[in-house]
Amino acid sequence: MSKSARNQQARKKNARKKNALTQRQVPWGGIAFFTVIGLVAVVAIGYAFVQSRPSSADGASSIKGVVVKDGLSRNHVSGTVSYDGNPPMGGDHDPVWQNCDGRVYDQALRNENAVHSLEHGAVWITYRPGLPTAQLDALKAKVERTDYTFLSPYPTLDAPIALTAWGHQLKLQDAGDARVDRFLRAFVKGPQTPEPGAACDGAKDTP
């Protein structure tokens, strides 16, 4: 073999060695490690997002203006109960509930019977006498097509309209307020109901 041929063969051999040394290896171990870390982070973020979303159980927090009252007593009593709110959001009440299966009453109701209906998961919509006819008709239409609701005038109401569920209340100026529907969706037989599944008819059907 000539000298030039030997030199050429040596150069090729050195080139192969250099290529072997400089060729990048795929870091599979590192890729696997960071992939696992990324998946854990995604799961953690997703869980935190789900936990932070308002659920039906805390629907009050997503409806502006809702007043919440906790620790309400639930004893059955006879006679008149002195409530600390108008309309009351709960408390001791009459053993007989007010029928609340989409009922519209044209006279004021006894608080004690209405509160019992709240305990069963009803929403009590009350209005101050003198509410414009169009607004009253709108409320009647909502109640008549929504089970576990009832409507009545409330002469001492300090707002045109009040929506009351057990431990929750929203007072409004106008029946067209979008919060009416949101309140009904959140609290008709909602998670605040002390006695889920209890009847809303078959009891008191008169004011």
Side-chain angles (χ1 to χ4, degrees):
M1 180 181 294
S2 66
K3 183 176 180 180
S4 62
R6 287 197 300 272
N7 288 339
Q8 186 176 2
Q9 187 176 17
R11 283 196 297 271
K12 290 181 179 179
K13 185 175 181 180
N14 288 336
R16 285 196 299 271
K17 289 181 179 179
K18 189 178 293 185
N19 288 340
L21 291 173
T22 59
Q23 185 179 9
R24 293 186 178 183
Q25 299 294 320
V26 178
W28 293 112
I31 290 174
F33 173 77
F34 286 108
T35 298
V36 171
I37 294 298
L39 288 173
V40 170
V42 168
V43 170
I45 292 171
Y47 178 78
F49 173 74
V50 170
Q51 292 299 307
S52 66
R53 289 184 303 169
S55 66
S56 58
D58 63 354
S61 64
S62 65
I63 304 176
K64 184 178 180 180
V66 171
V67 175
V68 180
K69 183 173 291 187
D70 297 318
L72 296 165
S73 59
R74 295 172 47 206
N75 301 308
H76 286 181
V77 297
S78 59
T80 302
V81 178
S82 178
Y83 294 106
D84 59 1
N86 288 309
M89 289 184 265
D92 294 346
H93 48 269
D94 195 276
V96 179
W97 61 89
Q98 191 75 39
N99 284 348
C100 48
D101 48 345
R103 297 297 178 100
V104 172
Y105 298 94
D106 58 7
Q107 297 179 45
L109 305 175
R110 286 187 73 241
N111 285 331
E112 293 78 9
N113 300 105
V115 167
H116 195 156
S117 302
L118 303 184
E119 186 183 41
H120 289 190
V123 168
W124 182 18
I125 302 180
T126 51
Y127 61 92
R128 191 165 56 199
L131 187 70
T133 301
Q135 293 195 44
L136 182 55
D137 288 344
L139 293 177
K140 288 179 178 179
K142 288 183 187 297
V143 168
E144 288 171 348
R145 64 174 179 260
T146 307
D147 199 16
Y148 279 76
T149 63
F150 58 121
L151 173 72
S152 71
Y154 204 94
T156 59
L157 189 60
D158 59 1
I161 299 165
L163 283 74
T164 307
W166 184 271
H168 298 76
Q169 189 170 82
L170 176 65
K171 292 184 177 180
L172 300 172
Q173 298 297 311
D174 193 289
D177 194 309
R179 288 174 292 174
V180 174
D181 288 339
R182 293 177 62 194
F183 191 95
L184 293 176
R185 284 195 298 269
F187 298 114
V188 168
K189 294 186 286 188
Q192 84 291 340
T193 304
E195 296 183 2
C200 220
D201 60 0
K204 189 179 181 186
D205 199 27
T206 56

